[in-house]
Amino acid sequence: MTATLELAAETELEENVGKRATAPGVDRIVLTGFMGSGKTSVGRVLAERLGWRFLDLDAEIERRDGRTVPEIFAASGEAHFRKQETAALAGLLGQRRVVVALGGGAPEELGNRLLMEQTPRTAVVYLAAPLETLLDRCERDDARTGSAGRPLLAQAEQRFAVRRHLYERIAGHQVETSARSVEEAADAILEALGRNR
Ligand code: S3P
C-alpha cells in the first residue's frame, strides 16, 4: 500500500516536470540529410525540447579552424575540409545529451559513418525531402543572408543521387520534412524515437 502511494506521488512529480521531452535509451541524436533539409533549425528546437545541448558540425569546424566553411573550401579544398569534419565529428560524438547537426556531406566519408555506427546510444535521424524542396530552401537561405554559404550547391544533383542512399543506410529513423514545420519535424523525431525503443 505504502509502496503504491509512493509510486503515485512519484508519478505526479514526474507529470509536473512532464513538459520536457525524453529520448529513451539515447544519449545523442545526430541529424543527417542534404543541404537545406533543416538539420540546424530542427536540431535547435529538438535540443530545446529535450533540455540538451545543440551542436552544429559546420560551426564546430569553423570554430576549430578559424575560417568559415566557404573560406576553407576556397583556400584548402574539399579533401582538407573533410579531414577537419571527421576530427570535429569525433569530438562532438564524445559528448552526452547532445543533438548534433551534421553537414550534408559528412556521410560520404566511410570514417564518419563508422564513427556514428560505433558510438553507443546514438540515434541517427534522416531529415528527408525532395531535391526541388531542398534547393528552394537553400536559395531562400542565400537570399535571406545575402551570401552563398554552400560551396557544393552547384553539384547538388550528382551529390544528392549518391548521398540519399547513404542517409537512408546510416539512419535508424527517417522523417519527411517537406510538409512539416520545424516544430512538427522535431516532434516527429521525438515520436519516432519513443516508438522504437
Ligand atoms: C556540405 C554541406 C554544408 C557544409 C559544406 C559541405 C555538403 O552543410 O558542411 O558546405 O557537402 O553538402 P549543410 O548541409 O549544413 O549546408
Side-chain angles (χ1 to χ4, degrees):
M1 181 67 176
T2 321
T4 316
L5 283 176
E6 272 170 14
L7 208 86
E10 259 175 37
T11 310
E12 204 174 295
L13 238 171
E14 271 167 17
E15 271 165 15
N16 287 341
V17 290
K19 287 208 174 109
R20 177 146 285 173
T22 56
V26 166
D27 276 341
R28 50 194 80 69
I29 300 172
V30 178
L31 301 184
T32 192
F34 204 62
M35 295 174 264
S37 59
K39 301 178 293 289
T40 301
S41 39
V42 173
R44 279 189 205 289
V45 172
L46 184 60
E48 201 184 301
R49 294 259 208 281
L50 289 161
W52 290 7
R53 248 168 344 124
F54 172 71
L55 304 172
D56 185 81
L57 184 56
D58 283 337
E60 177 64 8
I61 296 164
E62 292 182 340
R63 191 189 66 76
R64 293 164 68 117
D65 186 274
R67 293 177 292 175
T68 65
V69 170
E71 281 168 357
I72 300 172
F73 267 84
S76 309
E78 181 175 355
H80 178 78
F81 173 81
R82 295 296 168 205
K83 283 197 191 119
Q84 307 260 71
E85 189 175 49
T86 300
L89 178 62
L92 297 190
L93 289 179
Q95 306 194 44
R96 290 183 61 240
R97 295 168 67 82
V98 289
V99 175
V100 178
L102 296 184
E108 274 196 32
E109 297 296 312
L110 174 64
N112 295 341
R113 301 201 295 274
L114 291 174
L115 268 174
M116 290 183 269
E117 197 184 286
Q118 299 293 320
T119 308
R121 298 174 68 86
T122 302
V124 181
V125 181
Y126 170 28
L127 298 184
L131 183 60
E132 306 80 68
T133 309
L134 298 164
L135 293 178
D136 264 13
R137 288 185 191 152
C138 290
E139 264 175 40
R140 269 186 274 135
D141 261 14
D142 284 355
R144 200 186 58 236
T145 58
S147 72
R150 295 176 168 103
L152 294 181
L153 198 55
Q155 302 174 21
E157 259 177 63
Q158 306 94 289
R159 298 281 178 148
F160 186 70
V162 172
R163 290 176 185 175
R164 54 188 305 181
H165 308 291
L166 297 173
Y167 298 139
E168 283 168 11
R169 203 184 309 157
I170 62 168
H173 307 272
Q174 178 169 331
V175 167
E176 171 60 44
T177 63
S178 38
R180 287 188 163 107
S181 67
V182 167
E183 287 74 17
E184 286 167 349
D187 288 339
I189 293 169
L190 288 167
E191 206 205 308
L193 291 177
R195 206 175 37 232
N196 298 323
R197 290 182 65 174

